Amino acid sequence: MADRRRLRSITDRLANEYGRPVLRPHHAPIDELVLTVLSQNTNDRNRDAAYFRLRERLPTWDAVREAPVEEIEDAIRKGGLAPTKSVRIKQILEAIGEDDLLWLADAPLEEAREYLCALPGVGRKTAACVLLFSFGRPDVPVDTHVYRVGGRLGLWPPKEPLVKAHDELSRLAGDDGEYAYETHVLLIRHGRRTCVARVPHCADCPLRRMCPEGRRRLGAA
């Protein structure tokens, strides 16, 4: 089992390589919920285009909740999977009702997480995005890049279930919301630029001496 000092060493090296990100909580949890739904299976550009068109067409979340699903679908088409995402967004907003979710900032973390995960189609990654980006709460979202990089670094066993990877990374990041944010962003940057899926650039990696997968690949080269 990895320890917090090792994770801090990893993130410090990545910060030297990619810059240290700064957390700026935006306190808009419903915005984050919808944005995260729109981010599924698409790139950031298409996600943002879909989000801004939705807000242009339907400026309030009450309006989105009350709109026909076909209108939501048309507004978010640029983001891909619009038939599925439109239904999911409407279901989430109907489940929330008029609640602004600002109480999540001060609720016990496990209670806040459980509430979000009980919403239609919301899993640990989406819940963590809402808690971290909206309020700076210490929950680390584990996306494809984070899961791949963390597995190669030995932060969790191979083929570890995603929910356990979330638990482990949040444990390692500790109770500091800012450190949770650094961990998430830096592992994503590393996964996109160096520790890519098919052929990672191990020879150029700032973590090559502390990465079991990197040492194995370089030794085999």
Side-chain angles (χ1 to χ4, degrees):
M1 181 177 289
D3 61 27
R4 292 178 181 176
R5 287 177 299 178
R6 183 165 186 269
L7 180 62
R8 190 169 295 274
S9 178
I10 287 169
T11 54
D12 284 345
R13 293 188 187 195
L14 293 180
N16 288 335
E17 184 76 10
Y18 307 118
R20 193 173 297 277
V22 178
L23 175 67
R24 294 184 177 89
H26 53 66
H27 301 280
I30 300 177
D31 298 43
E32 190 64 44
L33 257 175
V34 174
L35 194 67
T36 306
V37 171
L38 291 172
S39 72
Q40 295 166 4
N41 298 105
T42 193
N43 57 46
D44 291 351
R45 179 180 297 178
N46 289 341
R47 173 204 65 192
D48 292 345
Y51 178 82
F52 288 120
R53 188 167 185 220
L54 177 66
R55 300 313 305 269
E56 182 180 19
R57 291 270 295 271
L58 300 162
T60 69
W61 295 125
D62 286 342
V64 178
R65 184 177 66 248
E66 295 168 5
V69 70
E70 294 81 9
E71 187 173 1
I72 301 171
E73 179 181 339
D74 184 62
I76 66 172
R77 197 171 305 282
K78 181 70 174 177
L81 299 178
T84 300
K85 293 177 181 178
S86 58
V87 171
R88 185 57 44 75
I89 289 169
K90 189 172 177 66
Q91 289 175 336
I92 289 172
L93 293 176
E94 287 175 343
I96 292 170
E98 297 183 358
D99 190 347
D100 60 14
L101 301 187
L102 293 178
W103 60 271
L104 295 172
D106 301 311
L109 183 60
E110 189 61 33
E111 177 184 329
R113 184 187 293 136
E114 288 180 359
Y115 172 85
L116 289 168
C117 288
L119 294 173
V122 173
R124 278 295 299 275
K125 188 190 86 167
T126 299
C129 286
V130 172
L131 294 171
L132 179 61
F133 302 146
S134 300
F135 305 116
R137 305 210 62 182
D139 204 359
V140 186
V142 177
D143 72 350
T144 301
H145 299 293
V146 174
Y147 184 76
R148 179 179 67 253
V149 174
R152 286 174 174 172
L153 286 166
L155 298 182
W156 43 77
K159 299 183 180 180
E160 180 84 329
L162 268 174
V163 65
K164 291 188 176 181
H166 274 94
D167 289 340
E168 181 62 8
L169 197 53
S170 292
R171 180 190 72 81
L172 290 170
D175 298 329
D176 187 337
E178 186 171 1
Y179 189 54
Y181 180 75
E182 286 187 8
T183 299
H184 172 73
V185 173
L186 290 171
L187 290 178
I188 286 180
R189 288 178 183 173
H190 191 55
R192 287 176 173 172
R193 302 181 193 182
T194 303
C195 194
V196 296
R198 292 188 178 181
V199 185
H201 311 308
C202 295
D204 301 320
C205 177
L207 304 176
R208 60 186 177 275
R209 294 184 179 179
M210 58 191 310
C211 176
E213 178 68 10
R215 292 197 300 268
R216 184 189 70 79
R217 287 174 179 266
L218 291 172

